[in-house]
Amino acid sequence: MRTIISLIATLLIGAGVNKAASDEKKVIRISTDSTDLLLQVGDNGRLYQTYLGPKLLHEADTREFDWSRHAATDGAVSRRGWEAYATSGNEDFFEPALGMTHADGNMTTYLYYVDSSSEPVDGGIHTRISLRDNKYPLDVTLNYMAYPKENVIKTWSEISHHEKKPVSLWQYASGMLYFDKGEYWLTEFSGDWAKEAGMSSQQLQFGKKVIDTKLGSRAAMHASPFFEVGLDGPVKEHSGEVLMGTIGWTGNFRFTFEIDNVGNLRVIPGINPYASAYKLDADETFTTPEFIFTLSYDGTSQGSRDLQAWARRYGLKDGDAPRLTLLNNWENTGFKFDENILSGLMKEARQLGVDMFLLDDGWFGNKYPRRNDRAGLGDWEATRDKLPGGIPALVDSARNAGVKFGIWIEPEMVNPKSELYEKHPDWVIEQPDRDTYYYRNQLVLDMSNPKVQDHVFGVVDDILTKNPDVAYFKWDCNSPITNIYSPYQKGNQGNLYIDHVRGIYNVLKRIKEKYPDVPMMLCSGGGARCDYEALKYFTEFWCSDNTDPVERAYIQWGFSQFFPSKAMAAHVTGWNKKTTVKFRTDMASMCRLGFDIGLEKLSPDELAYCRDAVANWKRLSPAIMDGTQYRLVSPYDTNHMAVEYVDGTGNTAVVFAYDLATRFSEKLQRVKLQGLDSAKRYLVKEINLMPGTETRFPQDGKILTGDYLMKIGLDLLSSRQKTSMVVELTAQ
Ligand code: DGJ
């Protein structure tokens, strides 16, 4: 039977390749309103990228590709370099997108064009290109989804085969992009706990620069899954050509940037194949994560706006829905609370004017109560002595206080000191005969095991079945995968890192299907999970446990490169008490606003200020959450930061301006606004003022034209330390 299948497959392969010959020179055009990505079948029947850049005006020009630009030094025109999905073992001597060992041990793969099709999908055009090996029954489909209006392209690949035995995949990129420029400058986003998404730049030179993670579950703790490449010099905010890319993968990812012998750059985003030689059975399809990118010709600010607009429309769960302001208790109480304390906090939430109270870690575990992070994780029953009425009593208290109730979970993890671990030691990723390394005293459940997936789904399902009024989840993930070994995978350990992440998605899909309207916050010991695949299921992510407003300026600036404000959660806490409550609140107000502070720590004026700030935030959320963002003054380039949001009508705008580490008598630049209507006249008003303080804003109360505001600007900055100003603009 197998032999007949292979014979048919071989005949079909032949047919595909013959067809390719007739499609020789076929051009596939993937376009947005401002960008073209052109792929063309070469005279050898293989598929090459011929162009990626600003949109071409004339269709005929898309065929005028100068192949000699792509010739390697030996003059082998179209035979080396720029293959759309380069494979291993052929004449391309640089990093491939696909590398595999076939069932017979052969490590070469040659992909030939078979056919392609395009169809309209929600917001864009989906192009599928089929490629096939001419010697092995191996198929690769390249997918490109272009969103014209937002100038965003999403690409991913599907790999399948009908070989007699499983094949081993050891490179499986989501896609591949090439550039032919004089200089390439990479901006990466790296850090650690409490210092997420720190930006740094370097010029790329011959060879490879790799950004990757091997952390498995808390995967983005040291490197965020996004990057920028300046294509004519270091990236700039308001000018220059820049590639901005991000991968939707909540596990180990890898970005490879390689400059070849002729100075061309290839960018290869994908899952990190580290310890992941993937055994792929015949007739199964390996689907790579989506790589989402934009090319901006006006610097990162425009690229961010395009990505943010795309995210709100297509990338983010409930991207068009409002967000809930909240009071959290983690920074305030830690593990020390009971029913009484919580019902008091719910009343405080009401006093602040926020929508919800969010109960954090420490509410569960009976045999091993969760009094600290050393026990109880995995046992999702309310601790009886702490919370005798369980979740139902808390939901009732919240209802009585007039706020919604949300709850923290970390369902993919387990403390060894838990009933779950006692019952199911084989559900855990752990080396049976070696010393175990515990990160935060916990271990990661093996999400590749369907039984574990059922358990994790059950955590959410059980809470919501018994308490349908639970309005929100904060889903945490505090440990990387240590001691990598799955009893479930047995001889297929190479599949574990990948199937683990796919298992998480299986669970999230089930939750979204059954509870489509429950918002969830993605959290990972701060911001170590922040990718667009997870954000199909989460309405927002927690940027960082570092809520010091000065540090937050940099963290939020970093994340804002790729995410809209409504995806980014920020709370006012007691971090950096040397700064005022106003400064802390104004910093959190440029994201989804929340609080995590006891009201007894606020003076009556501060409380009045916070209530006012919450009301202002809600009123202005069409601009802050759903409007267009303009990053005006960078904390990386100056001692200040200013960010502006303009609502969809162009009639309301709000500007947040912050003085960070200012210098004595430094020269202060006026801040020129953007995105306004030059012809309109705007009332300019400082808001979020502390009770009893007078505005020091020179233009307060003036009516100024959009033209003036954008050409002359406002005196929003000061040389005082750690101060902030929030200004509302209303078209008259
Ligand atoms: C890490 C999160 O980032 C915090 O906000 C908090 O939820 C703790 N985990 C709880 O353990």
Side-chain angles (χ1 to χ4, degrees):
M1 190 59 191
R2 279 263 181 205
T3 335
I4 297 173
I5 293 175
S6 330
L7 189 67
I8 296 171
T10 314
L11 288 173
L12 288 174
I13 294 166
V17 172
N18 286 341
K19 188 173 172 313
S22 65
D23 275 324
E24 194 182 290
K25 298 276 158 47
K26 181 186 168 71
V27 172
I28 300 164
R29 184 173 189 181
I30 293 141
S31 303
T32 70
D33 286 353
S34 2
T35 297
D36 265 323
L37 168 61
L38 301 181
L39 305 171
Q40 188 165 356
V41 181
D43 52 12
N44 56 2
R46 284 158 56 186
L47 186 71
Y48 294 86
Q49 179 190 310
T50 52
Y51 177 80
L52 173 57
K55 186 153 182 164
L56 301 175
L57 294 179
H58 310 288
E59 180 70 31
D61 292 347
T62 65
R63 303 179 179 281
E64 286 302 321
F65 180 65
D66 177 7
W67 287 94
S68 63
R69 290 291 295 159
H70 290 218
T73 42
D74 63 1
V77 175
S78 85
R79 300 285 296 184
R80 282 177 52 186
W82 294 63
E83 192 166 9
Y85 201 64
T87 51
S88 70
N90 57 38
E91 73 286 350
D92 183 303
F93 302 125
F94 294 89
E95 196 68 16
L98 177 65
M100 63 189 289
T101 307
H102 294 276
D104 64 1
N106 191 314
M107 294 173 87
T108 66
T109 296
Y110 285 56
L111 293 176
Y112 292 84
Y113 174 80
V114 179
D115 58 24
S116 60
S117 63
S118 289
E119 56 166 352
V121 288
D122 184 24
I125 310 270
H126 183 179
T127 302
R128 285 190 184 84
I129 307 171
S130 305
L131 308 173
R132 191 170 290 160
D133 193 304
N134 62 342
K135 295 284 176 225
Y136 288 91
L138 166 75
D139 287 289
V140 172
T141 304
L142 305 183
N143 293 273
Y144 299 88
M145 197 103 100
Y147 297 84
K149 224 171 139 228
E150 295 79 14
N151 188 29
V152 166
I153 299 176
K154 211 162 83 164
T155 177
W156 72 99
S157 309
E158 293 159 293
I159 304 157
S160 61
H161 73 93
H162 315 287
E163 299 193 17
K164 288 187 185 133
K165 287 194 208 139
V167 302
S168 175
L169 303 177
W170 36 268
Q171 297 261 61
Y172 24 74
S174 296
M176 206 159 178
L177 300 174
Y178 298 86
F179 297 90
D180 170 13
K181 297 278 180 182
E183 287 179 24
Y184 311 96
W185 287 77
L186 173 71
T187 296
E188 59 184 319
F189 298 76
S190 59
D192 204 334
W193 176 78
K195 47 182 289 209
E196 289 85 345
M199 295 169 70
S200 59
S201 299
Q202 60 188 272
Q203 184 171 9
L204 297 171
Q205 305 288 358
F206 174 83
K208 278 189 284 190
K209 157 79 186 175
V210 170
I211 300 171
D212 71 354
T213 170
K214 304 181 181 72
L215 290 153
S217 48
R218 192 173 165 171
M221 181 157 60
H222 301 146
S224 303
F226 36 85
F227 65 84
E228 298 168 348
V229 179
L231 293 168
D232 35 24
V235 297
K236 289 194 282 293
E237 193 63 39
H238 302 297
S239 63
E241 191 168 336
V242 54
L243 167 74
M244 299 171 72
T246 177
I247 190 164
W249 185 245
T250 319
N252 294 342
F253 63 84
R254 185 175 76 175
F255 297 130
T256 306
F257 306 87
E258 186 174 34
I259 298 187
D260 65 15
N261 54 324
V262 291
N264 291 334
L265 169 72
R266 61 180 67 188
V267 176
I268 315 174
I271 295 177
N272 187 357
Y274 162 77
S276 297
Y278 195 93
K279 180 170 155 262
L280 185 69
D281 286 328
D283 307 324
E284 276 191 6
T285 301
F286 182 99
T287 305
T288 71
E290 294 170 352
F291 173 63
I292 300 139
F293 70 94
T294 185
L295 266 183
S296 165
Y297 313 100
D298 301 303
T300 49
S301 206
Q302 183 56 47
S304 299
R305 280 192 288 282
D306 285 336
L307 286 163
Q308 292 164 356
W310 170 84
R312 280 194 302 261
R313 287 179 200 137
Y314 313 108
L316 175 65
K317 182 170 190 287
D318 299 339
D320 54 355
R323 294 294 184 262
L324 297 167
T325 51
L326 59 86
L327 176 69
N328 190 195
N329 71 313
W330 174 248
E331 292 294 333
N332 183 8
T333 67
F335 293 99
K336 290 200 184 92
F337 55 82
D338 58 23
E339 245 171 40
N340 230 346
I341 293 176
L342 296 184
S343 76
L345 289 178
M346 291 169 192
K347 288 180 194 130
E348 294 191 2
R350 178 69 182 174
Q351 257 182 294
L352 268 170
V354 295
D355 304 306
M356 180 168 60
F357 172 72
L358 169 62
L359 171 60
D360 215 283
D361 195 354
W363 59 268
F364 48 87
N366 280 300
K367 182 171 176 191
Y368 303 106
R370 178 83 169 166
R371 300 199 199 290
N372 51 46
D373 63 18
R374 291 192 290 280
L377 205 56
D379 301 344
W380 300 103
E381 274 186 351
T383 309
R384 281 185 289 275
D385 60 1
K386 209 168 175 180
L387 303 170
I391 298 176
L394 298 174
V395 174
D396 279 349
S397 300
R399 193 182 301 113
N400 293 337
V403 290
K404 292 178 194 280
F405 178 75
I407 197 162
W408 178 98
I409 50 174
E410 192 180 5
E412 303 153 69
M413 305 277 162
V414 64
N415 281 129
K417 218 169 157 193
S418 67
E419 292 183 75
L420 182 69
Y421 187 77
E422 284 174 354
K423 258 190 246 150
H424 299 289
D426 56 327
W427 281 9
V428 167
I429 295 178
E430 189 177 15
Q431 285 276 350
D433 310 314
R434 294 185 190 269
D435 289 347
T436 302
Y437 179 85
Y438 298 98
Y439 194 103
R440 209 194 190 206
N441 313 300
Q442 63 196 61
L443 291 169
V444 181
L445 292 178
D446 178 4
M447 297 297 294
S448 72
N449 181 341
K451 285 196 184 131
V452 177
Q453 292 171 25
D454 287 344
H455 158 80
V456 174
F457 171 74
V459 173
V460 174
D461 194 35
D462 188 59
I463 293 176
L464 284 176
T465 311
K466 294 182 183 145
N467 309 279
D469 284 345
V470 166
Y472 179 93
F473 285 91
K474 174 177 177 183
W475 180 307
D476 209 343
C477 162
N478 283 293
S479 177
I481 296 179
T482 54
N483 331 288
I484 182 84
Y485 180 83
S486 153
Y488 174 76
Q489 292 285 347
K490 301 195 179 77
N492 282 349
Q493 296 299 321
N495 291 24
L496 177 54
Y497 275 123
I498 294 173
D499 287 351
H500 176 79
V501 178
R502 290 180 176 159
I504 297 170
Y505 296 147
N506 288 344
V507 172
L508 293 171
K509 263 182 215 136
R510 286 168 70 184
I511 295 174
K512 190 173 170 180
E513 264 160 34
K514 189 157 178 194
Y515 304 104
D517 300 325
V518 180
M520 299 206 288
M521 184 210 282
L522 176 64
C523 173
S524 184
R529 277 182 166 178
C530 47
D531 70 89
Y532 275 116
E533 190 60 30
L535 288 172
K536 288 179 179 169
Y537 309 99
F538 291 87
T539 41
E540 57 202 32
F541 68 92
W542 180 231
C543 301
S544 179
D545 281 348
N546 191 337
T547 42
D548 173 335
V550 178
E551 294 301 325
R552 270 285 177 148
Y554 297 88
I555 292 168
Q556 291 171 190
W557 186 270
F559 281 122
S560 79
Q561 309 285 314
F562 287 86
F563 300 100
S565 330
K566 80 177 345 175
M568 295 162 53
H571 297 173
V572 179
T573 73
W575 281 56
N576 197 349
K577 292 197 194 65
K578 283 189 206 135
T579 62
T580 62
V581 167
K582 169 176 164 55
F583 186 67
R584 283 179 253 165
T585 309
D586 289 352
M587 191 59 75
S589 291
M590 56 172 275
C591 297
R592 194 280 285 133
L593 176 63
F595 291 78
D596 193 349
I597 191 165
L599 295 199
E600 80 284 353
K601 297 188 185 101
L602 304 182
S603 70
D605 276 354
E606 285 171 337
L607 176 57
Y609 164 82
C610 289
R611 285 174 56 85
D612 184 43
V614 170
N616 283 338
W617 187 91
K618 287 186 178 179
R619 187 171 51 76
L620 291 167
S621 90
I624 304 169
M625 293 282 96
D626 298 308
T628 308
Q629 182 192 70
Y630 297 88
R631 288 189 302 261
L632 306 175
V633 178
S634 166
Y636 279 93
D637 300 337
T638 69
N639 302 325
H640 309 267
M641 176 162 96
V643 181
E644 176 195 1
Y645 301 85
V646 182
D647 80 347
T649 66
N651 287 331
T652 304
V654 53
V655 193
F656 295 93
Y658 310 92
D659 306 308
L660 303 168
T662 49
R663 302 290 307 275
F664 172 73
S665 195
E666 72 168 84
K667 177 157 172 47
L668 297 167
Q669 298 287 337
R670 283 221 176 97
V671 179
K672 292 177 191 159
L673 307 196
Q674 294 183 14
L676 301 175
D677 184 335
S678 324
K680 280 187 183 152
R681 292 159 60 75
Y682 295 85
L683 170 66
V684 180
K685 191 100 203 86
E686 181 175 8
I687 57 169
N688 282 17
L689 276 163
M690 275 297 284
T693 54
E694 291 291 317
T695 178
R696 298 196 205 180
F697 175 39
Q699 288 91 13
D700 188 59
K702 287 198 171 161
I703 295 179
L704 299 168
T705 64
D707 195 46
Y708 179 100
L709 291 162
M710 294 193 287
K711 289 185 180 154
I712 298 173
L714 297 173
D715 294 298
L716 295 168
L717 308 178
S718 86
S719 53
R720 291 187 297 278
Q721 293 281 325
K722 322 280 183 298
T723 52
S724 50
M725 191 190 290
V726 184
V727 169
E728 180 176 355
L729 295 105
T730 317
Q732 299 302 290

